Amino acid sequence: MEKATTVQHVYDLLIKMNHQWEQHQQRESMTFLEEIQEQFNGMTSLNMTDVHVLDCIGRHEPINVTTLAERMELSKGTVSKVSTKLLKEGWIRRTQLNDNKKEIYFRLTPLGKKLFLVHERLHAEVQHRLLQFLNRYSPEELNVLKRLLSDGVGFLEAME
């Protein structure tokens, strides 16, 4: 197969994989949000951005709006809006550090920690399945894949 044909085939596979990945992510999100509804007796109106902000708070607490926005690659306005919702629904709480009474930090409430653990468990399950999939490849093949993905990330970042 000549290079141009192979390149086109790789491109087509990347497009197909991207489409299937998007569908998978949508299904996973729906399944996760349904599980949250079940475990928390339907008392939540969270979306995946809310859950990921809560997850970031859980991983880095105490954390302020600026750091949260940087880590999530979201605007401060979006983080403020989401954190207000999470505060109102009782998932997180505001705190201050002893040496800095001016800055507001976020921590998870016990309810938020419960949700954080559910989210962490589901991510671990997905990671386990993906690692099992990747283990079928040799170290050499994984190095090529690593290079391809790294270059792909760089390519997409340069397009922004």
Side-chain angles (χ1 to χ4, degrees), residues 8-103:
Q8 183 64 49
H9 187 71
V10 168
Y11 172 81
D12 293 341
L13 286 171
L14 283 171
I15 296 298
K16 183 176 182 176
M17 185 176 164
N18 183 54
H19 179 69
Q20 288 178 335
W21 182 252
E22 286 175 352
Q23 289 179 328
H24 170 77
Q25 289 293 99
Q26 284 181 325
R27 282 190 308 274
E28 286 282 319
S29 294
M30 293 291 289
T31 301
F32 177 70
L33 292 173
E34 287 169 5
E35 185 170 333
I36 290 173
Q37 288 290 332
E38 277 180 33
Q39 288 203 16
F40 295 93
N41 300 319
M43 63 177 246
T44 179
S45 62
L46 298 177
N47 59 44
M48 289 310 294
T49 300
D50 301 334
V51 171
H52 286 129
V53 167
L54 191 135
D55 179 72
C56 188
I57 292 169
R59 291 186 189 288
H60 305 287
E61 63 184 350
I63 188 168
N64 63 21
V65 171
T66 302
T67 306
L68 192 51
E70 289 169 0
R71 288 190 181 269
M72 296 285 307
E73 297 182 5
L74 296 171
S75 70
K76 286 188 199 178
T78 298
V79 169
S80 292
K81 182 179 174 185
V82 171
S83 61
T84 298
K85 177 182 178 180
L86 295 174
L87 282 161
K88 192 181 300 183
E89 293 186 8
W91 300 105
I92 64 173
R93 62 187 171 89
R94 282 189 178 113
T95 62
Q96 294 174 312
L97 300 179
N98 290 336
D99 60 342
N100 184 352
K101 296 293 184 187
K102 189 173 154 185
E103 188 79 45

Side-chain angles (χ1 to χ4, degrees), residues 107-150:
R107 289 186 178 276
L108 298 180
T109 62
L111 186 65
K113 287 182 185 190
K114 184 177 176 186
L115 179 60
F116 173 79
L117 292 174
V118 169
H119 183 250
E120 195 171 56
R121 177 182 51 81
L122 291 173
H123 265 284
E125 290 170 8
V126 170
Q127 180 181 8
H128 177 73
R129 288 194 311 258
L130 188 55
L131 292 176
Q132 279 185 312
F133 168 76
L134 291 173
N135 273 327
R136 66 189 197 178
Y137 295 98
S138 71
E140 295 80 20
E141 290 169 318
L142 289 170
N143 282 329
V144 170
L145 184 57
K146 188 170 96 175
R147 180 176 167 218
L148 172 72
L149 293 173
S150 180

